[in-house]
C-alpha cells in the first residue's frame, strides 16, 4: 500500500477491524451482556466485546479489565464506563453504564417488591435458604481459585496479608474503611520493597 | 415522610462511601454491607440478608445489585435507585478519570505495584464475605454440607453456576435443608 493513500482507508494495525460503536449500540450491547450474566457478567462482557462485536482485541480487553479490577467498586460497572468513554467520550460512558445497570435494576426492583410481599411464604423461604447455601459455595470456590496462584508461588507475605484481612473483617468484624486505611498503605509498601529487592 | 427521606440520605452516603472501599468488586464489600444493614442500622434480619444475597446471585446483572434489594427493603423504589446509584456512580467517575490519566502516562510502574498489592486484600475480603454468609445461611449441618458440595463442584468442574443454585433451591424446596 503506498504511504500517501488516504488514512481513512487504512485500518489501524493494532485495533480490531470494526467501526466504533454508536451510543445506542453501546447501550444495547451492555444491556445484553448484563441480562445474559447470571452470577457474573465478566465472561459475557468478554464474549460480547471481543468475540462478537470485535470492538477490542483480547489483550486490550485484559488491560482494560485489569485497570477496572484494581480500582474500587463493582468491576464490570467500571469496565462499562471506561469502555464507553474510549469510543464516545462521556456520552459513551453514560450509554454503556445505563445499558449495564438499567434493565437488571428494573428486574431487581420487581423481585424486591415480590420478596417484600411474599417473602414470608414458607415454600419461598425454603427455596431461598437452599439457593443461598449453594451461592455461598460458589463464592468460596471463587476465593479458592483466586488463592491458588499465591499458594503455587509460595507467596508467604501475600498469604499472611490475606489471613490478616480475613481475621480483621470476617472474625473481628471491624469496619471496612478502618481496616483498608491500614492495610492498603502497608501492602503497597511491602510490595514495593519486595520488588526493589528482587528485580523483575 | 421525614424519617423516610432521612433513611434515603443514610442509604446514599453509606453506599457511596462503601463503594470507594470495595477493593476487588462488590462481593468484597458484603461483610461491610452485612455489618451496616444488620448490625448497625437494623435495616434487615440475618435471614433477610441471606435471602437478598440469594436473590441477587440468581438474577441477571452484576452482583453489585444486592444493594438494589437492600435499598428497596429500606425505602421502596426510591431507596432501590439511590442505593444502586450511590454504589456505582462514585467509582464509575473515578474509573473514568483514572483511565484518562493512565492513557497519558502509560509507562509508570505504579499501577502494577498497586494492583499486586491489592490482590491479597481483595482475596481476604472475599474470604470474609464467604465466612459471614456461611454463618447466616448454614443453620444446619446439612446446609453446611450443601455449601461445601457446591464449593467443591464449582471449583473442580466447569459446571454452569446456575445449575448449582437451582439444585440448592430444589433441595430447599424439598425441605432437606
Amino acid at each position: 500500500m503506498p504511504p500517501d493513500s488516504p488514512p481513512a482507508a487504512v485500518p489501524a494495525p493494532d485495533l480490531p477491524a470494526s467501526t466504533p460503536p454508536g451510543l445506542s449500540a453501546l447501550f444495547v450491547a451492555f444491556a445484553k451482556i448484563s441480562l445474559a450474566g447470571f452470577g457474573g457478567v465478566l465472561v459475557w462482557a468478554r464474549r460480547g466485546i471481543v468475540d462478537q462485536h470485535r470492538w477490542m482485541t483480547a489483550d486490550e480487553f485484559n488491560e482494560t479489565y485489569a485497570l477496572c479490577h484494581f480500582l474500587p467498586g463493582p468491576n464490570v460497572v467500571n469496565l462499562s464506563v471506561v469502555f464507553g468513554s474510549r469510543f464516545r467520550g462521556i456520552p459513551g460512558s453514560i450509554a454503556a453504564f445505563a445499558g449495564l445497570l438499567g434493565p437488571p435494576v428494573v428486574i431487581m426492583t420487581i423481585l424486591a417488591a415480590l420478596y417484600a410481599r411474599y417473602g414470608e411464604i414458607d415454600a419461598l423461604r425454603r427455596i431461598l435458604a437452599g439457593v443461598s447455601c449453594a451461592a455461598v459455595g460458589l463464592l468460596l470456590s471463587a476465593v479458592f481459585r483466586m488463592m491458588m496462584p499465591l499458594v503455587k508461588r509460595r507467596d508467604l507475605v501475600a498469604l499472611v496479608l490475606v489471613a490478616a484481612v480475613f481475621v480483621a473483617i470476617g472474625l473481628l468484624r471491624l469496619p471496612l474503611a478502618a481496616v483498608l486505611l491500614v492495610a492498603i498503605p502497608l501492602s503497597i509498601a511491602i510490595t514495593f520493597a519486595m520488588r526493589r529487592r528482587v528485580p523483575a | 415522610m421525614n424519617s423516610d427521606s432521612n433513611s434515603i440520605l443514610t442509604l446514599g452516603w453509606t453506599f457511596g462511601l462503601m463503594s470507594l472501599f470495595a477493593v476487588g468488586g462488590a462481593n468484597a464489600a458484603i461483610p461491610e454491607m452485612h455489618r451496616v444493614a444488620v448490625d448497625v442500622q437494623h435495616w434487615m434480619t440475618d435471614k433477610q440478608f441471606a435471602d437478598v444475597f440469594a436473590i441477587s446471585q440468581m438474577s441477571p446483572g452484576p452482583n453489585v445489585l444486592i444493594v438494589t434489594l437492600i435499598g428497596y427493603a429500606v425505602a421502596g423504589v426510591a431507596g432501590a435507585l439511590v442505593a444502586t446509584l450511590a454504589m456505582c456512580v462514585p467509582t464509575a467517575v473515578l474509573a473514568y478519570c483514572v483511565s484518562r490519566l493512565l492513557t497519558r502516562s502509560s509507562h509508570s510502574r505504579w499501577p502494577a505495584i498497586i494492583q499486586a498489592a491489592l490482590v491479597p486484600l481483595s482475596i481476604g475480603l472475599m474470604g470474609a464475605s464467604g465466612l459471614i454468609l456461611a454463618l447466616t445461611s448454614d443453620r444446619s449441618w446439612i446446609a453446611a454440607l450443601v455449601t461445601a458440595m457446591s464449593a467443591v463442584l464449582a471449583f473442580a468442574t466447569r459446571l454452569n453456576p446456575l445449575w448449582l443454585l437451582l439444585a440448592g433451591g430444589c433441595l430447599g424446596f424439598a425441605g432437606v435443608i
Side-chain angles (χ1 to χ4, degrees):
Chain A
M1 188 168 289
D4 57 349
S5 65
V10 184
D14 54 343
L15 277 176
S18 171
T19 50
L23 291 182
S24 56
L26 280 172
F27 180 91
V28 171
F30 274 90
K32 277 188 187 164
I33 286 167
S34 183
L35 292 177
F38 285 89
V41 175
L42 176 68
V43 185
W44 295 94
R46 188 189 302 274
R47 192 171 295 182
I49 293 172
V50 179
D51 301 337
Q52 200 183 336
H53 292 291
R54 296 180 186 280
W55 285 335
M56 270 184 176
T57 64
D59 280 344
E60 285 170 329
F61 183 86
N62 286 347
E63 269 167 42
T64 312
Y65 182 71
L67 169 72
C68 297
H69 192 80
F70 102 82
L71 291 170
N75 299 325
V76 184
V77 179
N78 291 346
L79 180 77
S80 74
V81 169
V82 173
F83 182 84
S85 79
R86 201 150 287 179
F87 291 106
R88 298 279 162 191
I90 290 178
S93 295
I94 294 170
F97 180 91
L100 183 76
L101 287 179
V105 162
V106 171
I107 293 173
M108 212 54 108
T109 307
I110 293 169
L111 290 178
L114 290 173
Y115 176 73
R117 195 172 156 86
Y118 300 111
E120 295 303 310
I121 292 176
D122 196 49
L124 186 64
R125 289 183 71 108
R126 291 204 310 265
I127 292 173
L128 285 178
V131 171
S132 76
C133 288
V136 173
L138 293 180
L139 182 65
L140 291 177
S141 85
V143 176
F144 294 140
R145 280 231 167 105
M146 288 167 68
M147 264 177 75
M148 285 314 284
L150 302 184
V151 174
K152 275 184 187 150
R153 278 207 313 267
R154 305 221 175 115
D155 192 340
L156 212 63
V157 178
L159 289 172
V160 168
L161 279 167
V162 170
V165 172
F166 176 79
V167 169
I169 299 282
L171 297 179
L172 304 177
R173 306 282 173 102
L174 299 176
L176 181 65
V179 172
L180 288 183
L181 286 178
V182 176
I184 291 174
L186 192 69
S187 183
I188 290 176
I190 292 172
T191 310
F192 183 68
M194 305 261 292
R195 297 220 168 167
R196 276 175 68 127
R197 216 180 37 166
V198 191
Chain B
M1 202 64 219
N2 197 17
S3 78
D4 225 35
S5 59
N6 259 343
S7 54
I8 286 180
L9 220 67
T10 312
L11 275 174
W13 68 256
T14 302
F15 286 121
L17 195 66
M18 192 187 298
S19 72
L20 297 175
F21 288 95
V23 173
N27 277 343
I30 280 181
E32 183 71 359
M33 291 178 197
H34 180 271
R35 194 182 69 84
V36 171
V38 178
D39 300 336
V40 179
Q41 300 283 358
H42 305 291
W43 283 331
M44 45 180 51
T45 63
D46 233 15
K47 160 76 180 150
Q48 286 169 324
F49 191 86
D51 283 350
V52 295
F53 173 69
I55 295 172
S56 73
Q57 293 295 305
M58 63 179 176
S59 311
N63 291 333
V64 64
L65 296 185
I66 186 177
V67 301
T68 314
L69 298 166
I70 297 175
Y72 188 92
V74 176
V77 174
L81 284 179
V82 168
T84 310
L85 291 177
M87 191 72 191
C88 295
V89 170
T91 55
V93 172
L94 184 70
Y96 174 83
C97 298
V98 172
S99 79
R100 281 286 137 132
L101 216 69
L102 284 186
T103 46
R104 268 180 235 150
S105 59
S106 58
H107 291 295
S108 164
R109 50 200 278 263
W110 280 102
I113 288 178
I114 294 173
Q115 201 178 333
L118 293 185
V119 166
L121 307 186
S122 65
I123 297 175
L125 290 177
M126 300 258 295
S129 299
L131 174 72
I132 285 170
L133 288 165
L135 291 176
T136 61
S137 309
D138 298 340
R139 297 272 178 204
S140 66
W141 67 268
I142 297 182
L145 194 68
V146 171
T147 297
M149 286 290 292
S150 149
V152 168
L153 283 174
F155 185 72
T157 68
R158 291 261 153 212
L159 208 60
N160 188 326
L162 216 51
W163 292 115
L164 294 171
L165 297 180
L166 197 68
C170 291
L171 286 174
F173 182 69
V176 177
I177 293 166

